[in-house]
């Protein structure tokens, strides 16, 4: 798969310390739901002895019409939660009538779950016990779903940027997310999983373009070739638009930064932001905003290209400048930067990452093996800025101190910079604005106009800021702002 093969993981660095974060990178690749603005009116009409039958039927027909009208003009919003040290954003998704928490991923396009009885592998493809994959449930059982239809003679085959890979069969089922009902949605039914789970997610929901999907001809994954044998299909939100269930062809995400304590805990952190389908994620914003085109690619070379004949893969945007407070140099960047909810850190060109780390007080020091910049958690961090479409967006310093759960020799807690060395700014190298950046903006992805709208959020304290988002302890904030 084109899905980046570069693997940067902290797993080995931190292998000796249990319960420490390994930063997630679901490129080619989000939590709790408590409410939906969809008026959940109950249109059922009781047929009682005192209600004449014909009248009841008339009421029912009218109720049905009203309900359909409401559906057709609706947008659907739900909350996301954070798992795995708040590195993954999850939301409730239903396949048929089976409920799962899935990772919300704008860096890939497929929606999948492991099938009950799946085989688990480590990232070196050695067979390991099923529990090692650490899914949140025993899996999806297509045979128990009355709405499931298999898609024979095809296979599902995906690899993510962090080295996780999965294969399996393909089918169609009703997928429900945020009360948005998508019928006959193509899904991956995973039989072989090399997955480093968090104990909560049972798969992933991909929101990127159809041409990035991972279904192939035939039943032998080893014969798959991208794009020669790929059979592209509509991902969940594309189907929703095509089926007319949303009133607008865009979806929107607002991912809250977790509290420092939550980022140091593997528990599921409820209410860590929103995803809205056909609407805008409901958080407080400033009037700093921009709408820019999504950068298309040359399908053959997989390089960004400007022309009328482009293929869309990721939510790639042209980033004009990157800088940070106190810096006299401004970095021109590359046109191959993607907006990815499924990646924890920002992956920026080496020279930017190095200069930024050096500006921490005390400086953050790069771990040469893993590319991550390590610093004491009490460090003072400059404000990182990203200029897109002539508008400058700022990254809260709090997003650039992620607790590693380990201490230095003096017993000081160690943190990692949220900004990672993504390699040299060379053609073909994909860079990422991940959760570090996304904590600071509302991003609205329009799949009809192929544009994204970025809106700077009102500064918020860790884990707060959103309507209904839970406020966290001020104690964690004090530790963070130094
Ligand atoms: C998922 O749905 C359940 C049941 O409605 C709810 O209790 C839970 O908070 C939701 N979790 C997430 C992460 O959305
Ligand atoms: C993993 O090993 C199996 C054989 O056990 C092989 O068929 C498959 O191609 C391997 N997958 C990868 C991604 O190497
Ligand atoms: C979504 O629906 C609500 C309620 O109908 C409405 O107020 C809002 O303007 C809609 N549109 C967007 C883009 O969120
Ligand atoms: C596409 O055009 C824009 C505006 O002219 C330019 O900034 C960008 O670098 C171009 N991208 C490519 C891949 O040529
Ligand atoms: C998908 O790829 C095909 C073949 O390159 C191209 O014709 C089509 O326009 C692409 N669709 C999108 C949405 O990028
Ligand atoms: C993170 O949690 C570990 C134990 O779970 C604790 O030793 C460490 O001090 C905590 N780190 C921070 C930065 O709070």
């Amino acid at each position: 798969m084109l899905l980046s093969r570069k693997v940067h993981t902290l797993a080995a660095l931190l292998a000796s310390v249990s319960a420490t974060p390994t930063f997630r990178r679901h490129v080619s690749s989000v939590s709790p739901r408590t409410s939906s603005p969809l008026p959940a009116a109950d249109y059922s009409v009781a047929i009682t002895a005192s209600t004449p039958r014909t009248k009841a039927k008339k009421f029912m027909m009218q109720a049905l019409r009203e309900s359909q009208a409401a559906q057709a003009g609706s947008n659907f919003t739900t909350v996301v939660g954070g798992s795995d040290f708040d590195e993954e954003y999850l939301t409730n998704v239903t396949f048929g009538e089976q409920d799962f928490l899935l990772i919300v991923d704008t860096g890939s396009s497929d929606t999948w779950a492991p099938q009950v009885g799946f085989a688990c592998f480590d990232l070196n493809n050695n067979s390991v016990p099923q529990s090692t994959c650490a899914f949140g449930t025993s899996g999806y059982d297509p045979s128990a779903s009355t709405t499931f239809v298999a898609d024979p003679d095809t296979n599902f085959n995906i690899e993510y940027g962090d080295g996780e890979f999965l294969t399996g069969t393909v089918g169609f089922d009703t997928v429900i997310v945020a009360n948005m009902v998508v019928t006959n949605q193509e899904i991956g039914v995973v039989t072989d999983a090399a997955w480093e789970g968090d104990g909560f997610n049972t798969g992933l929901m991909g929101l990127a373009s159809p041409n990035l999907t991972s279904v192939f001809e035939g039943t032998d994954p080893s014969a798959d070739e991208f794009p020669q044998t790929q059979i592209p299909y509509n991902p969940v939100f594309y189907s929703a638009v095509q089926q007319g269930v949303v009133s607008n062809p865009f979806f929107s995400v607002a991912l809250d930064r977790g509290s420092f304590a939550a980022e140091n805990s593997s528990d599921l952190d409820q209410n860590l932001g929103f995803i809205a389908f056909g609407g805008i994620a409901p958080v407080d914003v400033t009037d700093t905003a921009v709408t820019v085109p999504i950068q298309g690619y040359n399908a053959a070379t997989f390089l960004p290209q400007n022309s009328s004949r482009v293929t869309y893969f990721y939510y790639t945007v042209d980033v004009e400048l990157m800088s940070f407070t106190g810096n006299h140099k401004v970095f021109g960047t590359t046109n191959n930067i993607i907006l990815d909810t499924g990646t924890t850190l920002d992956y920026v060109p080496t020279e930017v990452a190095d200069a930024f780390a050096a500006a921490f007080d005390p400086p953050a020091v790069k771990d040469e093996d893993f590319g991550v910049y390590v610093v004491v958690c009490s460090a003072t961090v400059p404000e990182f800025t990203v200029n897109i479409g002539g508008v400058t967006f700022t990254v809260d310093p709090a997003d650039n101190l992620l607790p590693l759960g380990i201490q230095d020799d003096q017993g000081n807690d160690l943190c990692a910079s949220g900004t990672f060395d993504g390699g040299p700014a060379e053609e073909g190298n994909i860079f990422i604005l991940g959760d570090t950046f996304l904590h600071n903006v509302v991003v609205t992805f329009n799949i009809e106009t192929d544009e994204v709208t970025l809106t700077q959020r009102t500064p918020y304290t860790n884990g707060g800021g959103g309507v209904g988002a839970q406020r966290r302890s001020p104690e964690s904030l004090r530790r963070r702002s130094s």
Side-chain angles (χ1 to χ4, degrees), residues 209-211 299 310-313:
S209 181
N211 276 344
V310 293
T311 298
Y312 292 99
F313 292 121

Side-chain angles (χ1 to χ4, degrees), residues 37 39 73-76 247-248 250 278-280:
S74 281
N75 52 61
F76 305 88
S247 52
N248 298 298
F250 51 75
I280 310 285

Side-chain angles (χ1 to χ4, degrees), residues 168-481:
T169 62
V170 181
F172 300 85
D173 207 341
T174 300
V175 171
I176 307 172
V177 55
N179 288 340
M180 176 178 81
V181 180
V182 177
T183 56
N184 298 311
Q185 174 58 43
E186 191 160 343
I187 53 175
V189 183
V190 166
T191 52
D192 296 86
W195 188 248
E196 298 187 316
D198 52 23
F200 296 102
N201 77 71
T202 304
L204 179 149
M205 176 175 63
L207 295 161
S209 181
N211 276 344
L212 203 57
T213 53
S214 310
V215 169
F216 297 86
E217 293 166 12
T219 54
D220 177 10
S222 67
D224 296 341
E225 279 188 64
F226 183 92
Q228 290 82 354
T229 67
Q230 181 206 23
I231 313 171
Y233 66 92
N234 275 340
V236 173
F237 188 64
Y238 282 76
S239 300
V241 171
Q242 191 181 50
Q243 293 173 20
V245 297
V246 283
S247 52
N248 298 298
F250 51 75
F251 67 95
S252 174
V253 292
L255 306 180
D256 288 356
R257 122 181 25 99
S259 68
F260 202 66
E263 288 183 344
N264 193 33
S265 154
S266 59
D267 293 344
L268 182 63
D269 199 2
Q270 307 278 355
N271 300 325
L272 211 55
F274 297 92
I275 180 160
F277 297 97
I280 310 285
V283 295
D284 295 338
V285 293
T286 68
D287 53 16
T288 299
V290 72
T291 297
V292 291
I294 297 167
Q295 174 72 61
Y297 286 81
N298 177 317
T301 62
F302 218 75
L303 294 172
Q305 170 179 287
N306 285 334
S307 84
S308 52
R309 296 187 56 209
V310 293
T311 298
Y312 292 99
F313 292 121
Y314 302 104
Y315 294 108
T316 307
V317 292
D318 222 348
V319 175
E320 289 165 15
L321 307 167
M322 289 184 179
S323 192
F324 42 89
T325 48
N327 184 40
H328 299 297
K329 183 168 168 157
V330 167
F331 298 89
T333 63
T334 120
N335 51 23
N336 206 355
I337 301 190
I338 71 171
L339 299 167
D340 182 14
T341 60
T343 292
T344 309
L345 307 178
D346 290 346
Y347 285 61
V348 305
T350 305
E351 74 163 336
V352 183
D354 281 350
F356 181 57
F360 282 41
D361 182 18
V365 177
K366 188 189 214 164
D367 181 285
E368 287 300 338
D369 289 337
F370 301 98
V372 72
Y373 298 86
V374 179
V375 70
V376 290
C377 296
S378 55
T380 302
V381 180
E383 191 175 71
F384 194 82
T385 61
V386 177
N387 186 294
I388 299 174
V391 177
T392 298
F393 296 91
T394 57
V395 175
D396 193 311
D399 291 310
N400 273 303
L401 280 177
L402 283 74
L404 286 168
I406 52 177
Q407 281 93 30
D408 65 12
D409 293 344
Q410 287 80 49
N412 300 306
D413 286 318
L414 292 175
C415 276
S417 168
T419 304
F420 192 90
D421 177 4
E426 287 167 0
E427 198 178 43
N429 206 355
I430 294 175
F431 297 93
I432 302 174
L433 291 173
D435 302 337
T436 296
F437 174 74
L438 295 174
H439 290 157
N440 299 278
V441 291
V442 175
V443 194
T444 305
F445 302 86
N446 192 316
I447 67 164
E448 217 163 83
T449 61
D450 294 316
E451 289 173 328
V452 297
T453 299
L454 291 148
T455 310
Q456 179 92 42
R457 291 178 61 173
T458 307
Y460 60 95
T461 57
N462 304 359
V467 177
Q470 82 196 31
R471 303 280 162 179
R472 276 153 227 287
S473 70
E475 170 242 347
S476 61
L477 187 65
R478 248 178 278 127
R479 270 144 95 207
R480 253 195 140 155
S481 54

